[in-house]
Amino acid sequence: MPPRHLADLSAEELRAAVTELGEKPFRARQLAHHYFARLNTDAEAMTDLPASSRDKLVGQLMPPLLTPVRYTDTDGGTTRKTLWRAHDGTLLESVLMRYPDRATVCISSQAGCGMACPFCATGQGGLKRNLSTAEIVEQVRAAAAAMRDGDMPGGPGRLSNVVFMGMGEPLANYKRVLNAVHRICDPQPNGFGLSQRSVTVSTVGVVPAIRRMTAEGLQVTLAVSLHTPDDELRDTLVPVNNRWKVAEVLEAARGYADQTGRRVSIEYALIRDVNDQPWRADLLGKLLHEHLGQFAHVNLIPLNPTPGSKWDASPKPVQREFVRRVRAAGVPCTVRDTRGQEIAAACGQLAAEG
């Protein structure tokens, strides 16, 4: 794992770390303010710290974790994918998307993914390693700084939403992802101060971790990547279904909804001639109505095909009929904005090419 970083530490742990370095405990708050409030990692700009202490504190508690390898823009510059290289050469990606009313960053929680979903390029590459809390948080800090500095069309702005929908299965890196949620949402100077309701944590359906998260007292949005309502196909499309079947996943999601009062987002990548049949739309609507009731919302994703893949997006008429049938069952259903397709940045299809 990467070297220790202040974003890995709670406020108490940071004070202890600063004291160990021979500095006054209040320096911890100053350091945290620079990172989380000012989004600053440059020691020279930390003029409220003694010059003799800056390099030591920053070197020990803000070591560089991620180096941008390249940026790729599309959608008139309002969607930017960043390929990052970690300290050990590991590659990962994040995507910043600016809309008229908000700015969302899609972040990775693992380098690669071990869930092996056959239609996902990241899943086909396998799991390299978990990311540290700080590596996850640093993707958010970089996006927030890019918005503040006006690096995207539209001038300076602020980051409003964070979605754990990049590389990896967030709930397979549970502890670090949970710590990252707290750093993202805790009030400044110990976090970025975003609302938990503006953070979405996705999962392919790791049932024990969903139940564990239900007990945390969070208000983040839970997104379940379902992709088909029937166990027979889901065993193939989402191999974790061999351990936890559709009904069990939806039951766990309902537990989260009951505990939080939050609607659950059901992610469904629509794949031509694979999971887009009318009967599957009907079954999806029926199951969600039974298990989640008013807490269900289907987020239909036109598949973003990857080069050489046999998988393709469903035609528009098929997509419209699928939406109609799900809504006819009394379940809200919308189609996700297909941003970033030209740069392979959409729909969880992130794949670092080196």
Side-chain angles (χ1 to χ4, degrees), residues 50-90:
S52 58
S53 302
R54 277 178 222 160
D55 288 341
K56 175 176 66 175
L57 285 170
V58 172
Q60 290 292 316
L61 294 169
M62 282 191 211
L65 298 179
L66 302 178
T67 305
V69 177
R70 64 171 175 266
Y71 303 103
T72 316
D73 294 344
T74 188
D75 301 318
T78 59
T79 299
R80 170 188 285 185
K81 180 170 75 168
T82 304
L83 177 63
W84 302 99
R85 179 175 284 114
H87 77 292
D88 58 356
T90 298

Side-chain angles (χ1 to χ4, degrees), residues 291-311:
H291 287 272
L292 282 169
Q294 76 271 24
F295 292 115
H297 175 266
V298 175
N299 188 20
L300 211 60
I301 306 162
L303 184 77
N304 181 33
T306 52
S309 172
K310 66 176 182 177
W311 313 91

Side-chain angles (χ1 to χ4, degrees), residues 78 244 261 289:
T78 59
W244 301 291
H289 188 73

Side-chain angles (χ1 to χ4, degrees), residues 203-222:
T203 177
V204 293
V206 183
V207 166
I210 295 173
R211 291 181 176 146
R212 187 178 173 190
M213 196 167 85
T214 300
E216 299 282 0
L218 298 174
Q219 280 288 304
V220 300
T221 298
L222 174 67

